[in-house]
Amino acid sequence: MKKSNVELSFDMDYDYDYQNDSLFLYITDDYDYKRSLRLDNDLILDFDESNVPVAMEILHASKRFNTARLNLRKPLGLNMNIEIGKDYIRIKAAFNINIRNKPTPLELNAEGENSINLPSCATHFAAVA
């Protein structure tokens, strides 16, 4: 059986909604939105017309990262990989934020079910402040 696996790489940008404690990460390229998939209670992935992940929203971000909301207003950088397999979606992300003027790493590791039969792919996202 032949494995279809596409590897893609994108530059990202981010917005943080302080009032709602929501961190939104999105690719800088233009895309046509198709659908969203809630991976868990606080993590939503957006996909384009080609079923490629193009954005992610982290709800209750300060609680998820166990940090003050103020620290999430201007992340210093992000490296994230999303792997989609036949039965799963895995996210591994490393963020850097400033806490008391010191770069501090944060990690996000999440896995959920590929409940909408997305095709296999691996994507890398990067953002630098």
Side-chain angles (χ1 to χ4, degrees):
M1 177 182 223
K2 191 174 185 178
K3 183 179 179 183
S4 82
N5 194 7
V6 177
E7 293 190 25
L8 303 166
S9 185
F10 297 100
D11 290 331
M12 292 198 88
D13 207 349
Y14 51 83
D15 288 318
Y16 179 65
D17 180 342
Y18 186 88
Q19 184 175 1
N20 293 305
D21 193 21
S22 176
L23 183 60
F24 186 62
L25 310 160
Y26 54 93
I27 67 170
T28 56
D29 296 342
D30 289 336
Y31 62 88
D32 292 320
Y33 170 83
K34 182 176 182 181
R35 65 177 140 199
S36 296
L37 175 66
R38 189 177 284 263
L39 211 53
D40 63 28
N41 288 336
D42 299 329
L43 195 59
I44 302 165
L45 285 176
D46 291 346
F47 295 87
D48 70 4
E49 290 289 331
S50 300
N51 292 313
V52 172
V54 292
M56 179 173 69
E57 185 171 11
I58 304 169
L59 307 173
H60 313 288
S62 65
K63 290 179 184 174
R64 184 154 199 147
F65 293 118
N66 194 28
T67 191
R69 289 181 183 198
L70 184 64
N71 296 331
L72 295 174
R73 290 175 65 179
K74 293 186 179 182
L76 300 174
L78 159 73
N79 274 300
M80 179 170 61
N81 292 300
I82 299 177
E83 179 184 353
I84 299 174
K86 181 180 175 189
D87 300 319
Y88 64 88
I89 298 173
R90 286 189 191 116
I91 299 172
K92 292 186 180 196
F95 298 83
N96 280 310
I97 61 170
N98 251 335
I99 298 179
R100 296 185 188 100
N101 292 324
K102 179 180 175 188
T104 305
L106 299 176
E107 289 187 7
L108 172 69
N109 294 303
E111 185 168 334
E113 184 180 346
N114 183 357
S115 60
I116 55 176
N117 297 317
L118 295 164
S120 296
C121 76
T123 52
H124 175 258
F125 303 92
V128 178

